Amino acid sequence: MSVPLAVLATLVQKVLPAGFHDSVHGLPLWLTISAGLIVADIGSYWGHRLSHEIGFLWRFHAIHHSAEHIDFLVNGRAHPIDMVVTRMSGLLPLYILGLGSAGPAGSMLPIAITLIGTFMGFFLHANVRLRFGPLEWLVATPAFHHWHHSRTDHIDHNYAATFPWIDRMFGTLYLPEHFPADYGIQTPMPATLIGQLLSPMESPTVVQPRK
């Protein structure tokens, strides 16, 4: 992520007019962090959703969804290009709005959000059946994200990484009392690491879009 993130920060700094971010830089720290988390999750939501709705992006994202058993290790089962697309979708709005900028000081919030997102990723994929009551409607939990990996029932829901109410806002929330019956995708996936890394660049028939 370091190279595309550095390029993004520098480009935004050069393209946006001087003084565009002055008011944002004057916000209290607590408000900057709160706004950054929400803005990043909305950006990540749309990057994630488009990875399901655009066939070319889905070919990379399908590797993550091909796991037929969900546990914390699935968080690391992803094509590098898919990881960059999803993470950059969350970080791009931060730099556009001035919540992140080039240089050590401006990079702290994006780094913090990336670390929080990494921790949440392992937590959301954990193989636990605990329910968290009303908290599930405010902060993402394994019950929320397991439905995102459903193989046949209510696929293409629950895209948010941190806040389920973002899915509610965009009409993609599904959070019943039970867990999915099965996980994975309906098209075959190469069994080897090299095969999975190369499969998105091969014939489009290798990985079909979910829709």
Side-chain angles (χ1 to χ4, degrees):
M1 290 294 298
S2 59
V3 173
L5 191 55
V7 172
L8 170 64
T10 303
L11 285 177
V12 171
Q13 187 181 49
K14 292 181 179 298
V15 171
L16 292 177
F20 182 82
H21 294 148
D22 288 348
S23 59
V24 176
H25 294 162
L27 294 175
L29 180 61
W30 68 268
L31 185 56
T32 300
I33 294 175
S34 300
L37 288 171
I38 294 172
V39 166
D41 208 33
I42 292 176
S44 178
Y45 169 94
W46 281 106
H48 194 176
R49 181 169 175 172
L50 291 175
S51 292
H52 283 247
E53 296 179 352
I54 298 176
F56 177 75
L57 294 179
W58 168 247
R59 291 165 63 182
F60 295 94
H61 191 55
I63 294 173
H64 178 63
H65 277 269
S66 64
E68 297 180 354
H69 174 78
I70 304 300
D71 57 40
F72 77 98
L73 290 175
V74 175
N75 185 52
R77 182 190 180 99
H79 197 284
I81 292 178
D82 176 46
M83 295 178 68
V84 170
V85 168
T86 303
R87 291 292 176 87
M88 292 298 287
S89 297
L91 295 173
L92 176 61
L94 293 181
Y95 287 101
I96 292 177
L97 295 178
L99 295 168
S101 60
S107 65
M108 290 307 299
L109 182 59
I111 289 173
I113 288 175
T114 300
L115 292 175
I116 292 171
T118 300
F119 169 80
M120 285 294 293
F122 286 109
F123 170 63
L124 296 181
H125 293 91
N127 184 20
V128 296
R129 299 288 169 168
L130 298 175
R131 302 305 298 254
F132 295 86
L135 180 65
E136 292 183 346
W137 300 95
L138 299 175
V139 180
T141 61
F144 166 83
H145 192 71
H146 276 225
W147 274 103
H148 179 68
H149 283 266
S150 172
R151 184 172 184 267
T152 55
D153 186 10
H154 285 84
I155 63 173
D156 300 324
H157 285 73
N158 300 1
Y159 295 107
T162 307
F163 303 117
W165 51 266
I166 293 177
D167 277 278
R168 177 183 285 275
M169 184 168 60
F170 293 117
T172 53
L173 179 65
Y174 184 69
L175 191 57
E177 292 297 324
H178 59 287
F179 280 71
D182 55 2
Y183 302 93
I185 57 178
Q186 299 187 41
T187 50
M189 178 66 61
T192 65
L193 174 62
I194 297 300
Q196 291 180 17
L197 290 174
L198 295 179
S199 64
M201 277 73 78
E202 296 175 353
S203 170
T205 59
V206 175
V207 179
Q208 296 287 351
R210 286 165 77 93
K211 294 184 176 182

